[in-house]
Amino acid sequence: MAVATKSLHGAVAAHDDHAGHEDYATRLRLNRLGMWLFFISEAFLFGALLATRFYLWGDTRPELDQMVGLIVTSVLLLSSASMYVADTAAEHGQWRVFSVAAWTTMILGLVFFLGVVIFEWGLFPQIYEGHLTPWGDKYGAVVFAMTGMHALHVLSGIVLIFIMWRLARKKHFTPEKHWGIEAAAIYWHYVDLVWIFFYPALYLIGTAHH
Amino acid sequence: MSVRLTSLALVRGLIGYFVGFAAGMLLVMAARLMLGMEAWEQEAVYVGGIVLAILSFLLASGAMTDWLKWTRGIATPMRHGPPPGQPSWARYFGIDYNHKVIGIQYGVTALLLLMVGGTLALIFRVELAEPSLSFMSLDSYNVVFSLHGWVALASILLGVGAMANYLVPLMIGAEDMAFPRLNAFAYWINVPAALTLMLAIFVGGWDSGWTAYPPLSLRGAVGYQFMFWAIFGIGLSSILGSLNLIATILLMRPKGMALFRMPIFCWAVLATSLIQLTATQFIGIDFLMMSFERSLGMPFFNPIMVEGVNMGGQPLLHQHLFWFYSHPAVYVFVLPGLGIISELLPVFARKPLFGYRWIALSSLAIALVGFLVWGHHMFTSGYGEYLRVAFMISTLLVAVPTGVKFFSWLGTLWGGRLTFPTPMLFTLGAISVFLIGGLSGPVLATVTTDLYLHDTYFVVGHFHATIFGGFVFPFFAAIYYWYPKITGRMYNETLGKWHFWIMTPAFWVMSIGQMSVGVLGMRRHIADYDPALQIATGQLWVTIAGFFIAFSVLLMIYNLFSSAEIGALAGNNPWRSRSPEWQIPSPAPEHSYASPIRVVGEPYDYGLAGSQYIAMAGAGDD
Ligand code: HEM
Ligand SMILES: [Cu+2]
């Protein structure tokens, strides 16, 4: 039997009986803390990229398609809303709603991702002729570094949501126990939050360099 | 009992590594052909090989198997004890989730790397023993000292991991770490990473030293790519390991163990982990950018002048990103060791630790102020003039919390009833050596003197003294001290004393020697020197001292191996320590604590009558 005890300063300690089934509340608390620590760490990763941007560009910026920037940003913000719906639905056991909202999020995420790859990167010149290359100059290099690192996170977020959707379909989660979904949701919000810093740094701050 | 080799994670991982390496290279070549490029371009092709090799190692070894099962909804119960049907040693070569096993894995790997790093040092120290080139070329010298640097640093990071992983859960009476699978993963990623680091030597190595300043690091051999990705892997280990330790310390303490009642070592680990969790990202992304600049030509660091305007990168960007990690990292190297010193002194002085709270907070203070001083490595770099004074002042501030530790140690020793078994000797040796290193710090932190001393052997002397005093000596102290808890047997005290009495004076000689040839004009990172500097005698002394140190370490290795078989049984608590881990049997059992512990007093009240730190809860308690 597992015992959770409240220690003097309010933190909770757990002792499982070596059989490996500690109680769910304790595990959840550890998981949540672990996730937040991971976010703190990642903040330094994205912070380093921002520092690079300001160090190399100063108060200039590349000329990027403002329309593309606005659209992908809105799409990503919208996806945070749908992910919120998915998370809440899981909390209430509304698995159909969850499923629809999860797919909405994945599709919006994919739209964002394709927007970056096709329009910002110009990877498919048949569709859209981009004018930046990663090796051209400091503008191309930093744009690709920042959007690339962020896109990698978006992509992994989509994979994570997909895994959770499949598990949910297999009745893996309950309203009480759905840490996986919660984790995917806060991860998704976090990745969005990062973009809220990246978007102005790439598109808005400084004078465009011709 | 015989063991099928492929049942060992290490063997499977190594096979996966080399298969993955080949596959990754082929993949990139195929992709290049499809894009209409020539198949062979060593930078991109090798990077493909390295990345897939490390990934394949992790997959083939099984370090990720449980997680992959989770994605398919398959539950994976915790495993305990050696794998069924296998001898108990086999688990050390396998994916084991027990923090004590992982701690030993870290420790043994660290000692192996220490020996590799040390051997490399002896090789180029022979070259330096007399002026003019004798058996190395200028190039091979550069490659060997560079490899020495990162191998030694990897060894330190793993040694820190060894102490933290083995000790923290034991000291706070926890069953294990917060995330045991993550713990195993964080250890295992070091293995392919360290392998990659050493393989670099077969493709020309890298010749810039550990700091990898561009533009040199953008132009040298492809060995740079091996180093960048190896350090990225080791950095990932730092991040994941520290995350785990912080969660463990914050949430898994027993009843009654307020933060200020933790064994002091846990404070040191907490401060260290905060640095590792955050700053490591900077070197990670820095080295990634360096790798991408080399393979894709993305100009982050190399300037491209177009009509008088720089459209490319800036070499100094690397120095900022690098030192923003690497200065705090030097505290990662030493804070746990300083924690060991504070941990052992009260035991061998039979007195309370002097100023517990001050020590605990000084670790945090060092960690935090450590983020504000990176520019002291760049006084001569040509950055803004005004930055020099700012970084000089912030650097000198670090001396304050460091001084707090020294005074606390003296206060603890003062009037104590001292005994001097090997761990205590190494603790005192650590203090003496750290003092030499610490005092040389402010000399370097002062702009005027640093302009003269920068890039000389004085700096080499400075950081070897701080790192040996702050890590190597305390690590050895810890090994001797907890050896009975790990093996149940006592090491050989005579051999231990020989180790100490050879290594410590030799180290003093080496330190003073390095610093003085530096002041006399010996540059670092150079294979040759002018006899007119009159430093040949000093250089010879440094080399001889190096050999003495290496020999003494071999004594320890021999001691550790032989005593595991024939050492006297140590009993549960040979040091009469109050710390929780000594209240359980030796060797520590699979499940450390049969019942939860409860903290009822202060940790270091040695010699105070009637004081008690922990109580083992009996049946019916709680
Ligand atoms: C706590 C233990 C310490 C460690 C482990 C340590 C480690 C190091 C290392 C590894 C380097 C060389 C970096 C390189 O390769 O260029 C270095 C350089 C330096 N250290 Fe320390 N250090 C410590 C304490 C201090 C203190 C207390 C100060 C000043 C108050 C200090 C000031 C400096 C300065 C200014 C340099 C740059 C020297 C130069 O390159 O010109 N260090 N230290
Ligand atoms: Cu420094």
Side-chain angles (χ1 to χ4, degrees), chain B residues 123-138:
Chain B
I123 293 174
F124 67 75
R125 270 318 311 182
V126 171
E127 176 58 58
L128 286 176
E130 50 178 33
S132 81
L133 290 181
S134 39
F135 72 102
M136 298 182 92
S137 68
L138 290 171

Side-chain angles (χ1 to χ4, degrees), chain B residues 323-334:
Chain B
W323 289 115
F324 189 82
Y325 163 75
S326 293
H327 179 82
V330 307
Y331 298 127
V332 171
F333 306 155
V334 301

Side-chain angles (χ1 to χ4, degrees), chain A residues 9 12-13 18 27 41 138, chain B residues 175 178 251 253 277 281 311:
Chain A
H9 47 282
V12 168
H18 309 156
R27 183 41 44 192
S41 178
K138 63 184 174 187
Chain B
E175 164 72 9
L251 288 186
R253 277 167 294 128
L277 182 72
Q281 295 280 7
M311 292 299 290

Side-chain angles (χ1 to χ4, degrees), chain A residues 44-74:
Chain A
F44 278 72
L45 164 66
F46 294 114
L49 283 168
L50 279 173
T52 301
R53 179 251 176 260
F54 284 102
Y55 195 83
L56 293 183
W57 292 358
D59 56 3
T60 66
R61 64 179 161 83
E63 200 155 9
L64 294 171
D65 194 327
Q66 291 292 341
M67 204 57 200
V68 171
L70 207 61
I71 292 176
V72 295
T73 305
S74 322

Side-chain angles (χ1 to χ4, degrees), chain B residues 319-376:
Chain B
Q319 296 192 24
H320 284 294
L321 294 174
F322 179 84
W323 289 115
F324 189 82
Y325 163 75
S326 293
H327 179 82
V330 307
Y331 298 127
V332 171
F333 306 155
V334 301
L335 281 177
L338 305 186
I340 295 287
I341 297 177
S342 302
E343 192 68 48
L344 300 201
L345 282 182
V347 178
F348 294 109
R350 310 309 301 168
K351 265 189 62 197
L353 179 64
F354 187 81
Y356 173 100
R357 270 171 196 256
W358 285 95
I359 295 223
L361 292 177
S362 76
S363 291
L364 276 187
I366 291 178
L368 295 182
V369 182
F371 276 99
L372 305 176
V373 305
W374 78 92
H376 65 220

Side-chain angles (χ1 to χ4, degrees), chain B residues 136-222:
Chain B
M136 298 182 92
S137 68
L138 290 171
D139 283 339
S140 64
Y141 178 89
N142 289 348
V143 168
V144 173
F145 85 70
S146 296
L147 188 62
H148 157 76
W150 265 125
V151 169
L153 292 176
S155 148
I156 296 172
L157 287 171
L158 270 89
V160 166
M163 296 191 286
N165 275 293
Y166 191 87
L167 293 176
V168 165
L170 276 177
M171 284 182 164
I172 64 173
E175 164 72 9
D176 207 309
M177 296 277 279
F179 309 106
R181 292 173 186 83
L182 187 68
N183 201 22
F185 180 85
Y187 163 72
W188 279 99
I189 192 169
N190 287 300
V191 178
L195 183 62
T196 306
L197 191 66
M198 289 190 273
L199 286 181
I201 202 114
F202 295 108
V203 286
W206 70 97
D207 52 0
S208 61
W210 74 296
T211 56
Y213 280 9
L216 177 60
S217 54
L218 298 174
R219 294 177 191 163
V222 72

Side-chain angles (χ1 to χ4, degrees), chain B residues 264-433:
Chain B
I264 198 76
F265 178 71
C266 298
W267 272 102
V269 171
L270 185 61
T272 307
S273 301
L274 286 172
I275 300 172
Q276 287 193 295
L277 182 72
T278 55
T280 313
Q281 295 280 7
F282 269 67
I283 196 173
I285 191 73
D286 176 36
F287 278 14
L288 275 192
M289 291 197 293
M290 204 91 88
S291 170
F292 275 80
E293 176 151 2
R294 287 179 62 108
S295 45
L296 291 183
M298 295 169 84
F300 296 110
F301 306 107
N302 224 0
I304 306 171
M305 299 308 281
V306 181
E307 293 162 9
V309 183
N310 180 11
M311 292 299 290
Q314 302 210 17
L316 274 195
L317 173 62
H318 163 75
Q319 296 192 24
H320 284 294
L321 294 174
F322 179 84
W323 289 115
F324 189 82
Y325 163 75
S326 293
H327 179 82
V330 307
Y331 298 127
V332 171
F333 306 155
V334 301
L335 281 177
L338 305 186
I340 295 287
I341 297 177
S342 302
E343 192 68 48
L344 300 201
L345 282 182
V347 178
F348 294 109
R350 310 309 301 168
K351 265 189 62 197
L353 179 64
F354 187 81
Y356 173 100
R357 270 171 196 256
W358 285 95
I359 295 223
L361 292 177
S362 76
S363 291
L364 276 187
I366 291 178
L368 295 182
V369 182
F371 276 99
L372 305 176
V373 305
W374 78 92
H376 65 220
H377 296 277
M378 300 169 61
F379 288 146
T380 63
S381 69
Y383 66 0
E385 208 58 39
Y386 62 98
L387 288 172
R388 282 181 169 172
V389 179
F391 278 121
M392 170 168 120
I393 292 171
S394 62
T395 301
L396 293 173
L397 268 181
V398 182
V400 177
T402 315
V404 165
K405 288 200 190 290
F406 268 101
F407 286 114
S408 145
W409 295 333
L410 290 182
T412 306
L413 288 171
W414 199 265
R417 284 175 287 129
L418 307 183
T419 50
F420 299 98
T422 307
M424 176 62 158
L425 289 177
F426 272 97
T427 305
L428 297 175
I431 296 176
S432 76
V433 168

Side-chain angles (χ1 to χ4, degrees), chain B residues 525-547:
Chain B
H525 293 171
I526 303 273
D528 195 7
Y529 49 93
D530 189 342
L533 289 174
Q534 303 200 315
I535 54 175
T537 319
Q539 291 281 27
L540 184 61
W541 274 104
V542 173
T543 301
I544 293 173
F547 275 90

